[in-house]
Amino acid sequence: MAKEHDHDEHHHHENASKPHVHSEASLKQIVNRLSRIEGHVRGIKTMVTESRPCPEVLMQIAAVRGAIDKVARIILDEHLSECVARAALEGNIDTEIEELKAALDRFLP
């Protein structure tokens, strides 16, 4: 039986100006990665409470930082390929680019 596209297949969230729509598969991938990062951070907290050597803790923090950067890259890639492309088709690319620039100003050091 063919499944029609419905609300269950897409995630909708409101930002300041318009809804974003992302595939369920994409959201699941991102949420799974974030859950693993969350568990890793709890592990680091345990290492600290157990007074594990600082270099070990720092190596684990570096691993979490790398994992967070990977999630950010996935989100940015999807934003460029889906959201910015959609904005171009809908004629509001200037607004989308300004929002992206503002987000990158906060995101990048």
Side-chain angles (χ1 to χ4, degrees):
M1 184 164 129
K3 186 173 183 180
E4 293 184 17
H5 293 316
D6 60 18
H7 183 72
D8 293 335
E9 289 185 36
H10 291 88
H11 170 73
H12 301 269
H13 65 86
E14 295 289 331
N15 68 11
S17 59
K18 61 197 161 301
H20 272 63
V21 181
H22 298 281
S23 74
E24 198 63 37
S26 173
L27 288 173
K28 185 175 181 181
Q29 176 192 27
I30 292 168
V31 169
N32 285 345
R33 284 179 179 269
L34 290 171
S35 294
R36 285 195 302 273
I37 292 167
E38 187 177 31
H40 204 149
V41 170
R42 281 193 304 272
I44 293 170
K45 185 174 160 185
T46 299
M47 291 175 74
V48 170
T49 61
E50 293 173 352
S51 297
R52 299 282 293 274
C54 294
E56 287 181 25
V57 174
L58 290 171
M59 286 177 47
Q60 294 306 311
I61 290 171
V64 167
R65 184 183 289 160
I68 289 172
D69 287 345
K70 178 66 176 168
V71 169
R73 177 59 191 254
I74 291 168
I75 291 170
L76 179 58
D77 285 349
E78 181 166 309
H79 185 69
L80 291 172
S81 63
E82 299 292 330
C83 304
V84 173
R86 186 179 317 114
L89 290 174
E90 294 172 356
N92 57 348
I93 188 70
D94 292 338
T95 302
E96 192 70 40
I97 297 230
E98 287 306 312
E99 290 175 359
L100 179 57
K101 284 180 182 178
L104 288 174
D105 284 345
R106 291 187 299 272
F107 178 75
L108 297 172

